[in-house]
Amino acid sequence: MNNIVKVQNHDVAVIEWNNERVVTSAQLAELYETNEENIRKNLSNNQGRFEEGKHFYLLKGDELKAFKDCVNNLHVVSERAPQFYLWTQRGASRHCKMLGTDKSWDVFDCLEESYFNPKADMSGLSPQLQALINIELRQNQQEKELTAVKEDIRDMRDIIVLNPTNWKEESRKLIVKIAQEWGGYQHIQDVYSEIYKSLDGELKVSIGRRLTNKRQRMAEAGACKTARDKLTKLDIIAEDPKLINGFISKVKDLAIKYGVSLKDIA
């Protein structure tokens, strides 16, 4: 446990537990350029998406004591800490997806290649043996990646399926939860605005202009101002199946990015 691995511009002390490489919350926070509070928040807000023994190890009691004895020269854990989290490659990947920043994605790619799956030194082996080892390593990596994809699909299934007859209400629930991830209920309108802006750009439309035109037609038809003011961009979207599908897609994208699901809300 005395090796140092270079991950971009960070020196990462190699830590192993249960015969696999792991990282601490502090290491993850430093690498992803966030703080340990966000790492803890990801876990507390998404308990169902982290499985002990797969995504993390929670050390307590004798296990924690043994770990402290192994890493006492690395100063990664306080002597008084009652418990300690260690994150596996899958756990680090899960945090990367939840943070969703360009930096976290770039760092995880390097972390995966340089730290979790370092290339073995085969300089003394024959070319034939090196080729066989490389084939096996690629197969093992492909199996890991396929397993991770299947797990992500299973974890996100309840996000991806929105009831088409109740899309407004289910989307609203997700948007409220996303706003909380942004900092609170005051950001609900900000989330809607982000979705509308993205929808306008992708579908080459102007929902705002459509809303203005619809209100003008209502005025010409004699509708009162109260009725016209009650009309919203969401009402405009509801008139166009293409916009409905686009809106739902944008909500799903944000929900997946911030690890929010209808299951969490129910």
Side-chain angles (χ1 to χ4, degrees), residues 49-67:
R49 290 191 174 84
F50 288 100
E51 182 178 335
E52 187 169 358
K54 179 185 292 185
H55 299 101
F56 69 90
Y57 295 104
L58 177 55
L59 306 185
K60 299 178 181 178
D62 291 339
E63 278 192 330
L64 180 55
K65 184 178 183 301
F67 177 75

Side-chain angles (χ1 to χ4, degrees), residues 7-264:
V7 178
Q8 289 193 344
N9 60 334
H10 299 277
D11 290 329
V12 182
V14 175
I15 300 174
E16 294 183 356
W17 187 256
N18 200 31
N19 295 320
E20 65 177 316
R21 288 192 174 186
V22 293
V23 290
T24 68
S25 296
Q27 286 175 319
L28 268 187
E30 179 183 356
L31 287 164
Y32 290 159
E33 294 188 356
T34 182
N35 53 62
E36 290 187 65
E37 178 59 30
N38 281 335
I39 301 299
R40 288 191 291 269
K41 184 179 178 181
N42 281 347
L43 176 60
S44 63
N45 289 346
N46 301 277
Q47 291 284 352
R49 290 191 174 84
F50 288 100
E51 182 178 335
E52 187 169 358
K54 179 185 292 185
H55 299 101
F56 69 90
Y57 295 104
L58 177 55
L59 306 185
K60 299 178 181 178
D62 291 339
E63 278 192 330
L64 180 55
K65 184 178 183 301
F67 177 75
K68 289 178 179 179
D69 291 340
C70 291
V71 298
N72 58 1
N73 62 322
L74 296 179
H75 309 292
V76 297
V77 54
S78 169
E79 282 295 325
R80 296 183 179 181
Q83 63 181 34
F84 197 70
Y85 283 92
L86 295 172
W87 302 98
T88 66
Q89 180 177 348
R90 291 181 179 178
S93 172
R94 194 60 50 93
H95 280 292
C96 169
K97 293 171 184 175
M98 289 176 178
L99 291 170
T101 63
D102 290 339
K103 179 64 178 179
S104 65
W105 283 110
D106 289 343
V107 169
F108 180 74
D109 286 342
C110 295
L111 189 63
E112 187 175 40
E113 181 177 343
S114 303
Y115 184 84
F116 288 114
N117 302 300
K119 294 180 180 179
D121 182 8
M122 296 185 290
S123 57
L125 303 179
S126 68
Q128 294 82 358
L129 187 53
Q130 289 184 32
L132 290 174
I133 292 174
N134 283 327
I135 291 172
E136 185 173 357
L137 289 173
R138 283 196 297 270
Q139 289 176 338
N140 290 339
Q141 183 62 25
Q142 288 171 353
E143 289 176 3
K144 287 182 181 178
E145 291 173 355
L146 180 59
T147 299
V149 169
K150 288 180 178 178
E151 289 178 356
D152 286 342
I153 291 173
R154 185 179 64 248
D155 289 344
M156 294 185 296
R157 187 175 297 146
D158 54 345
I159 296 175
I160 294 173
V161 180
L162 289 179
N163 187 338
T165 62
N166 196 31
W167 62 272
K168 280 188 180 181
E169 179 60 20
E170 292 187 352
S171 295
R172 183 193 66 80
K173 291 179 180 179
L174 287 173
I175 287 170
V176 168
K177 193 70 175 178
I178 293 166
Q180 290 177 304
E181 295 296 317
W182 283 22
Y185 293 111
Q186 68 271 23
H187 292 289
I188 290 175
Q189 192 55 49
D190 295 334
V191 179
Y192 275 107
S193 296
E194 176 69 21
I195 294 171
Y196 295 147
K197 180 180 178 181
S198 180
L199 203 56
D200 281 353
E202 185 170 305
L203 297 183
K204 309 300 182 185
V205 299
S206 174
I207 300 172
R209 183 176 296 278
R210 288 191 184 189
L211 176 60
T212 299
N213 292 340
K214 180 69 178 288
R215 284 174 173 168
Q216 288 177 348
R217 290 195 298 272
M218 290 174 66
E220 292 168 359
C224 66
K225 186 176 186 302
T226 300
R228 300 197 304 268
D229 290 344
K230 287 176 64 177
L231 196 69
T232 67
K233 288 185 177 181
L234 208 56
D235 294 320
I236 300 301
I237 289 172
E239 297 176 345
D240 187 336
K242 184 178 180 181
L243 290 180
I244 293 174
N245 291 333
F247 180 83
I248 291 175
S249 177
K250 296 304 176 184
V251 173
K252 289 177 186 176
D253 289 345
L254 286 176
I256 292 171
K257 178 178 179 178
Y258 290 99
V260 173
S261 74
L262 292 172
K263 181 179 65 176
D264 299 329

